[in-house]
Amino acid sequence: MSEGEAFDFQIDRIITIVKDTGAKVIGLQFPEGFKRRSPGIGSKIEDETGVTVLISGNPCFGACDIDVALVDNVEVLFHFGHAPLDDNALSRKVYFIETRSDVDVKAVVELAVPELKGQKIGLITTVQHVHKLKDASLVLKEHGKDCVICTGDSKIAYPGQVLGCNFSAARNEDCDEYLYIGSGQFHPLGVSLATKKHVLIADPFVNELREADSSKVLRQRSAVIAKSLDAESFGIVVSSKPGQERMKLAEELKKMAKKHGKDAYILTMDLVTPDQLLQFKMDAFVNTACPRIAVDEVGRFNAPMLTPLEFEIVLGEREWEDLYFDEIAGE
Ligand code: SF4
């Protein structure tokens, strides 16, 4: 995220919650991009309330990734940068501070209009800009477009919101094309694969447009699949993180591997990294944890790291044409 842009850390709300709950010890958990802000925010809360602040130093990539050990040691945990997921069993103690951006989106949407050839435009974004979708939709409507902001499944807190593991808000209605408001590549690429539609990225931080071009990532994924075709042993990776744990899927994949005469082992761990898997001498891995891992860390594991869908292709249970990003679906 851009250094210069203002994000709403809701310090006053946090102070009120701390005072109202009478908490003596609280936790703060930030995603990587906001960690450097933690000392300033922590001191302000301590100064205003006298509470003791513990800051999570563990990596944090999503609402799936609550610091469970820290939750046990505090009365309240404030988790920044993400909207809640549906299955957060810890939510009684955890407050989600969504850290929305106040950057204007209208200018970049104006810029996007001439590039949008379809009539029915689906608007999608991350939680940081979800409150600005109305502004974006007004601009599109002024230019005669039909604008759709769809509700996703139960994992999705707001209409039009997408996660790196859930594009349901883009799939719920058939649009001609999509306009993604935000700075990253992963979400729009996921939407373009999930919908097979044109996705234009409108980055409001730098006021620039980009195409979501999935050709490079598809080439990379095809290479990973090709390298796994002769594999005999598979490590099926399961994360213990609350919102990433998919043991049932791992068991189904293991059964599928056995049916095809392959060896498969379920490997459980918290954080999934190339180092963590280094000592397992498998021919290939299958990742059931955060779907971004296999894609973002491509080439960094000591054996090909497949997504569950790619594993099905390797086993001949799925056609190559049916290759999408892995998703963790809700209800
Ligand atoms: S599983 Fe991955 S993509 Fe999904 S919310 Fe967690 S970090 Fe984000």
Side-chain angles (χ1 to χ4, degrees):
M1 277 160 198
S2 163
E3 180 81 8
E5 299 307 334
F7 291 93
D8 182 5
F9 289 91
Q10 299 186 30
I11 308 289
D12 292 342
R13 179 180 165 222
I14 295 172
I15 288 170
T16 305
I17 293 169
V18 172
K19 287 181 177 165
D20 287 353
T21 56
K24 298 281 174 278
V25 185
I26 64 161
L28 304 181
Q29 187 182 18
F30 296 85
E32 301 313 290
F34 288 142
K35 276 205 165 87
R36 66 181 176 280
R37 307 288 298 266
S38 60
I41 292 171
S43 320
K44 186 143 204 299
I45 298 167
E46 275 185 347
D47 292 348
E48 295 278 337
T49 64
V51 76
T52 298
V53 171
L54 306 181
I55 298 168
S56 172
N58 288 323
C60 172
F61 302 103
C64 58
D65 200 0
I66 302 295
D67 189 330
V68 180
L70 183 57
V71 169
D72 281 344
N73 288 320
V74 297
E75 287 144 85
V76 179
L77 177 83
F78 295 97
H79 176 102
F80 291 82
H82 308 116
L85 294 174
D86 59 348
D87 55 355
N88 199 316
L90 305 163
S91 56
R92 201 175 42 81
K93 279 176 97 174
V94 179
Y95 289 80
F96 289 85
I97 307 297
E98 290 169 356
T99 326
R100 298 192 177 186
S101 163
D102 73 354
V103 71
D104 173 57
V105 304
K106 289 195 282 270
V108 78
V109 175
E110 284 280 355
L111 212 59
V113 170
E115 307 303 321
L116 295 168
K117 308 297 176 220
Q119 177 59 28
K120 189 170 170 186
I121 311 296
L123 274 175
I124 42 172
T125 188
T126 61
V127 73
Q128 264 71 51
H129 308 289
V130 85
H131 57 302
K132 298 279 177 137
L133 286 184
K134 219 173 244 169
D135 289 353
S137 125
L138 285 177
V139 174
L140 291 180
K141 282 179 186 155
E142 275 166 20
H143 288 272
K145 301 285 185 189
D146 299 328
C147 197
V148 177
I149 304 173
C150 271
T151 307
D153 68 24
S154 60
K155 295 255 177 221
I156 297 298
Y158 301 100
Q161 184 201 354
V162 285
L163 299 171
C165 59
N166 190 308
F167 312 112
S168 56
R171 254 199 316 262
N172 271 354
E173 193 155 341
D174 194 22
C175 297
D176 296 330
E177 57 190 316
Y178 290 85
L179 183 64
Y180 171 78
I181 297 177
S183 54
Q185 289 280 346
F186 192 94
H187 300 69
L189 282 179
V191 171
S192 101
L193 289 173
T195 61
K196 309 280 185 211
K197 297 278 169 70
H198 174 235
V199 181
L200 185 63
I201 304 169
D203 184 337
F205 295 116
V206 288
N207 222 26
E208 269 176 21
L209 303 174
R210 293 187 295 276
E211 296 291 331
D213 178 5
S214 54
S215 55
K216 182 177 167 205
V217 76
L218 280 177
R219 271 199 309 279
Q220 286 174 337
R221 300 322 303 163
S222 300
V224 172
I225 296 170
K227 276 191 209 149
S228 310
L229 289 174
D230 295 331
E232 290 299 329
S233 62
F234 293 87
I236 301 173
V237 178
V238 179
S239 170
S240 55
K241 289 183 189 300
Q244 295 188 18
E245 191 267 346
R246 286 190 286 173
M247 185 59 83
K248 202 161 162 268
L249 171 63
E251 283 167 355
E252 282 163 13
L253 295 173
K254 184 174 173 179
K255 243 188 243 158
M256 199 188 288
K258 297 278 176 209
K259 186 179 113 190
H260 288 268
K262 307 285 186 185
D263 291 329
Y265 308 88
I266 293 179
L267 313 174
T268 69
M269 61 200 72
D270 177 51
L271 187 64
V272 181
T273 65
D275 280 353
Q276 197 80 2
L277 294 176
L278 203 56
Q279 298 306 326
F280 292 107
K281 302 304 174 200
M282 304 283 171
D283 295 334
F285 296 105
V286 186
N287 173 49
T288 69
C290 170
R292 294 195 59 152
I293 294 168
V295 178
D296 286 344
E297 307 267 0
V298 65
R300 296 179 58 194
F301 291 95
N302 63 338
M305 172 65 93
L306 298 156
T307 69
L309 302 184
E310 292 164 357
F311 184 50
E312 290 175 14
I313 293 174
V314 167
L315 295 181
E317 296 267 350
R318 172 181 288 270
E319 300 296 325
W320 283 73
E321 295 70 38
D322 295 333
L323 178 57
Y324 311 99
F325 279 178
D326 179 27
E327 293 186 53
I328 303 181
E331 302 294 314

